[in-house]
Amino acid sequence: MGCGTSSRKAAMGKTEKTIKAAILIQRWYRRYKARLEARRKATWCIFQSIEYAGEQDQFKLYNFFNSMVEQFSQDEQQNALLKVFGENQQRSLVATMSPFDLRKEEETLRLADPSKIPVDPRYDGPVLQFPINKTQIKNLITAFKANKVIHEHYLLDLLHHARTYLMKLPNINRVSTLLTKQVTICGDIHGQLNDLFVIIHKNGLPSDDNPYIFNGDFVDRGNNSIEVITLLLTFLLDPSCKVYLNRGNHEDHAMNIRYGFTKEVMRKYKEHAAKVIAMFNEIFCSLPLATIVDQKVLVVHGGISEHVDLRLIETIDRKKYVSILRPPAFEAGLGNPKQAMKMKDLEEWQQIVDILWSDPRAANGMVFNTFRGGGCYFGPDVTQRVLAKHSLQLLIRSHQCKEDGYEYTHGGKVLTVFSASNYYEEESNKGAYVKLMRQKSTDDMPICHVVQYIAQTKPGRRFTITERTSYLESSAVSSVKERIIANRSALTAKFAEFDPAGTGIISSKQWFKAMESVMGIDVPWRILKPKLVSSEGQNVLYETTFQDKRLGYKNEEQIGEPSVTESLYRNKEILETIFRAFDKDNSGHLSMAEFSEACQLLVKHANITLTQNQIRDIATSLDLNKDGMIDFNEFLEAFRIVDTETQEMREKLNSFEIDELKRDKKKSIFSRCFGGRWSNSLY
Amino acid sequence: MSANAENDNDNKKKDNADSIVAEIQKKITDAFDIFDHESNKTVDVREVGTIIRSLNCCPSEAELHDMLAEIEEEEPTGYIRFEKFLPMMTKVLLERRYKPYPEDQILKAFQVLDIESKGYLTLEELSKCMTEDGEPFTQEELEEMISAAVDPDKKVVLYKDYPPMLAVEDT
């Protein structure tokens, strides 16, 4: 209450104290925020690193298939090969437009005839009739929002119509904004239907005045690839819509068998899955490869390389490339001996790989993209030259997840746009699309309006940054842990090197060294350390590196030998891919016949001798529920059971041990026969 | 102790010091690399503050400004180069400058703001202090802080629980 000098002084003192306190809290909070931000970025590095490592595996695996196929074709045993790989796989593996394949295509179209598939009168899902119109599209959206699955009859009918339409399109779409004044460009959607809904909700349905370019990677990873691609194709076929589709690196059967689309089709279409998959392969290789807007802006899925020549790309017979993971190197062996022809094919193939798989980089020049296994990294100088060569001003590409959904690089000459929000994990990234606005003067650079969003998957309150970061981080750490367990033996050996006395303790520095040298993924180990291993001061109790409750991993394996669990983790994705490749009728099961044909092929390639009887023994031992079929779980289980098999079984199998695998005594049949082979060729 | 042994000891000390510097520099490299989006050993100048703070330093905005001035190019490019950042940051960490305050100090600071000693701060009180006093928060910073601090039922900040909640485990 007092109003004398002393109380004013006290008030002053108080204010000063308050300010000091405020500063203290602000500094402390800012440090906290910064550390959180660093953790979030670190998490981002992990997701990306692991994603690219997976793609790299897939490329290598495919190269392995290819060399196998090549060997067979040289042996003039095509028939054996074609018997092993199913109808669909044949076209992706031996994808050339030889008369043989033409026949196959006709066969595919005949088999996938929708008029032969009746629709149950009780069916209450979406219905399509041609020509497509807006009402049908709206009904389709309503049905998909209610989680309805489109009947295979309508889906196949749509695919036939879409194929006919796509076949007429050139390799490079040309779009003019003279009338519409703008065009919307969307990046990867990856089966995330909610993101497509958000885009349509914010930006309106495509129409004559509202054109869209969808820049590839419509399918894989997300759970609604069917719905996403169905919607995009109906847009494409609606005569009142202006929609352009570019092929992405996931519009490729060889990617689909690893990244989920094939599985989704099998889950949704059961006995008709094979036809649906075959038709999708037809659609994918009919998709245009690029779009040019107003002769100024190049829109492609991946990017460019020094060699990219759009005139050459325009002349390619794109239908040949059912899978882009396959170099056309073995064509000669398949009855096309003209060397010149082969060179031309190789050049064409390289062009397609470059535009579908490449990423920009900051430094000048160009290097092979070793992280992804395909395509290249192109520098700003490459962008400059290639754009200038074609009198273009801007490159819009997708293919890489960005935290903000978009990113400018190369001094604004390259714009990445990625439309799948929450791609790695809930809250990991925004999605975005770009509205390219026409300028008054045609000489001006078009203006890009970027729109960002996050598709709400679950209703509820927004997380705080702290919660989001912790959640993302734990998910990323789990992925790293999985990889650690997959590399357990190599890590253990490295730790032992640093700890010859076997104390169980090494220095942090040594631990980092071990992780960096063995793991082969580029993640910030120093930041992750507290999440991965227990420490004592500056030292690390390295055995705790392998503890992970989430995976239920037991510490019972003998140290020093590659364990079964380890092989299983390391090879699961690869085995799944192999499994799908052998499953020629896409039934989700391998018949005994499919399995033994596959074995023979693999065995032949790996120079192992294996008699018919032995193959039958393995197959029978795999068929755990004795239904005469091997499903994927049984296939995986092979790793475990065979490991505990008796000496008798082992002796039986002695004959197919090969030298390089002999030291791995404890490995299962599969890791011996196949897994070992994969490991050696892949890691 | 013989001269030799002493020498040995000196060498050991030197080795030890070298390895401490090496470890600190690795830490700095890792933190820097996370923000080096283009992998060309540069980072956006706007993110340098975050990098420094993520290395467990609590400089004031003014101090941060001085640090930036020290490492910025003569003709500012908007980017900071690693070769300039590393020696500056090594020195800061070796000298243990801008060390964070312990938790109890933070708690005391909250108590100073809580003039009536209620044991909590209302959202208004906290917002006012944080955006008007000291080195004011941006609206974004404020909202983030409040979203994590506020008690969802009582709509006040029970600051006693706050510092431990936001404690960052030491790496």
Side-chain angles (χ1 to χ4, degrees), chain A residues 439-469:
Chain A
Q439 289 303 94
K440 281 209 183 79
S441 158
T442 45
D443 296 333
D444 288 342
M445 182 88 164
I447 292 179
C448 297
H449 282 309
V450 179
V451 182
Q452 299 169 285
Y453 55 87
I454 292 182
Q456 198 90 10
T457 43
K458 288 170 220 125
R461 80 185 171 101
R462 308 280 301 155
F463 292 113
T464 66
I465 287 192
T466 317
E467 288 167 324
R468 270 190 327 241
T469 308

Side-chain angles (χ1 to χ4, degrees), chain A residues 313-329:
Chain A
I313 289 175
E314 277 182 319
T315 66
I316 294 175
D317 178 10
R318 66 177 185 272
K319 285 279 290 171
K320 283 201 293 200
Y321 297 91
V322 174
S323 173
I324 290 149
L325 264 60
R326 181 205 67 94

Side-chain angles (χ1 to χ4, degrees), chain A residues 26 31 35 41 526-527, chain B residues 26 34 56 135-136 141:
Chain A
Q26 284 156 344
R31 177 195 63 132
R35 298 187 63 137
K41 292 252 168 163
R526 268 157 204 83
I527 290 162
Chain B
K26 281 227 151 173
I34 289 177
N56 215 10
E135 303 178 318
E141 282 174 311

Side-chain angles (χ1 to χ4, degrees), chain A residues 351-370:
Chain A
Q351 296 266 332
I352 299 181
V353 173
D354 285 350
I355 61 172
L356 262 56
W357 276 86
S358 299
D359 294 321
R361 66 167 194 171
N364 277 339
M366 188 177 103
V367 293
F368 179 70
N369 192 334
T370 45

Side-chain angles (χ1 to χ4, degrees), chain A residues 375-567:
Chain A
C376 72
Y377 289 112
F378 56 98
D381 56 332
V382 176
T383 300
Q384 181 84 41
R385 280 197 293 273
V386 173
L387 289 181
K389 184 167 88 183
H390 297 95
S391 317
L392 294 165
Q393 295 175 337
L394 176 67
L395 169 65
I396 297 182
R397 42 88 59 179
S398 304
H399 195 43
Q400 277 178 302
C401 182
K402 297 286 168 194
E403 284 182 79
D404 293 321
Y406 77 100
E407 187 180 87
Y408 279 103
T409 37
H410 294 183
K413 291 279 177 201
V414 176
L415 170 58
T416 299
V417 55
F418 192 87
S419 302
S421 64
N422 301 326
Y423 175 66
Y424 290 124
E425 205 26 284
E426 199 92 346
E427 303 284 351
S428 67
N429 65 288
K430 292 181 181 139
Y433 60 86
V434 177
K435 277 186 100 72
L436 197 63
M437 313 303 284
R438 188 182 179 86
Q439 289 303 94
K440 281 209 183 79
S441 158
T442 45
D443 296 333
D444 288 342
M445 182 88 164
I447 292 179
C448 297
H449 282 309
V450 179
V451 182
Q452 299 169 285
Y453 55 87
I454 292 182
Q456 198 90 10
T457 43
K458 288 170 220 125
R461 80 185 171 101
R462 308 280 301 155
F463 292 113
T464 66
I465 287 192
T466 317
E467 288 167 324
R468 270 190 327 241
T469 308
S470 305
Y471 178 73
L472 275 181
E473 198 175 42
S474 69
S475 157
V477 166
S478 297
S479 315
V480 175
K481 275 279 184 186
E482 268 180 45
R483 281 192 91 88
I484 286 177
I485 285 165
N487 286 289
R488 185 184 168 113
S489 326
L491 281 173
T492 307
K494 199 84 198 166
F495 292 152
E497 226 174 82
F498 290 127
D499 179 27
T503 59
I505 294 171
I506 55 174
S507 76
S508 299
K509 210 165 122 188
Q510 288 167 329
W511 187 81
F512 293 136
K513 233 185 194 155
M515 301 313 278
E516 278 160 11
S517 64
V518 172
M519 290 292 291
I521 42 173
D522 187 19
V523 303
W525 295 109
R526 268 157 204 83
I527 290 162
L528 281 178
K529 192 188 111 193
K531 306 263 184 267
L532 294 175
V533 67
S534 312
S535 308
E536 253 175 16
Q538 278 305 301
N539 293 325
V540 163
L541 307 166
Y542 59 79
E543 269 304 312
T544 57
T545 312
F546 305 114
Q547 283 171 6
D548 186 6
K549 288 190 193 101
R550 202 189 63 87
L551 291 171
Y553 180 76
K554 291 186 206 90
N555 232 340
E556 65 199 7
E557 311 280 0
Q558 262 178 282
I559 290 166
E561 284 192 61
S563 73
V564 178
T565 324
E566 183 176 337
S567 322

Side-chain angles (χ1 to χ4, degrees), chain A residues 14-15 17-35 37-39 41-42 45 361-363 403 407-410 461 463-466 468 473 508-509 512-513 516 523-527 530-531 538, chain B residues 19 22-23 26-27 30-31 34-35 37-38 40 47 49-50 53-61 63 100-101 105-106 109-110 112-113 115 129-131 133-138 141 144-145 147-148 162-163 166 168-171:
Chain A
K14 197 161 213 169
T15 318
K17 231 176 148 187
T18 318
I19 292 175
K20 267 198 182 149
I23 293 180
L24 205 75
I25 293 170
Q26 284 156 344
R27 279 197 212 175
W28 167 78
Y29 183 76
R30 282 187 172 125
R31 177 195 63 132
Y32 164 74
K33 269 282 297 280
R35 298 187 63 137
E37 177 67 12
R39 273 166 62 192
K41 292 252 168 163
C45 296
R361 66 167 194 171
E403 284 182 79
E407 187 180 87
Y408 279 103
T409 37
H410 294 183
R461 80 185 171 101
F463 292 113
T464 66
I465 287 192
T466 317
R468 270 190 327 241
E473 198 175 42
S508 299
K509 210 165 122 188
F512 293 136
K513 233 185 194 155
E516 278 160 11
V523 303
W525 295 109
R526 268 157 204 83
I527 290 162
K531 306 263 184 267
Q538 278 305 301
Chain B
S19 102
E23 201 41 46
K26 281 227 151 173
K27 243 185 189 171
D30 267 11
I34 289 177
F35 290 85
H37 306 301
E38 306 199 327
N40 59 354
E47 292 192 304
T50 309
R53 288 181 168 125
S54 78
L55 285 162
N56 215 10
C57 291
C58 282
S60 67
E61 291 289 281
E63 286 163 334
Y101 303 97
Q105 289 272 350
I106 305 298
F110 274 110
V112 168
L113 299 184
I115 300 164
C129 285
M130 291 298 114
T131 52
D133 289 339
E135 303 178 318
F137 273 175
T138 61
E141 282 174 311
E144 254 309 307
M145 183 188 197
S147 76
Y162 196 49
L166 261 57
V168 184
E169 58 273 54
D170 202 24
T171 48

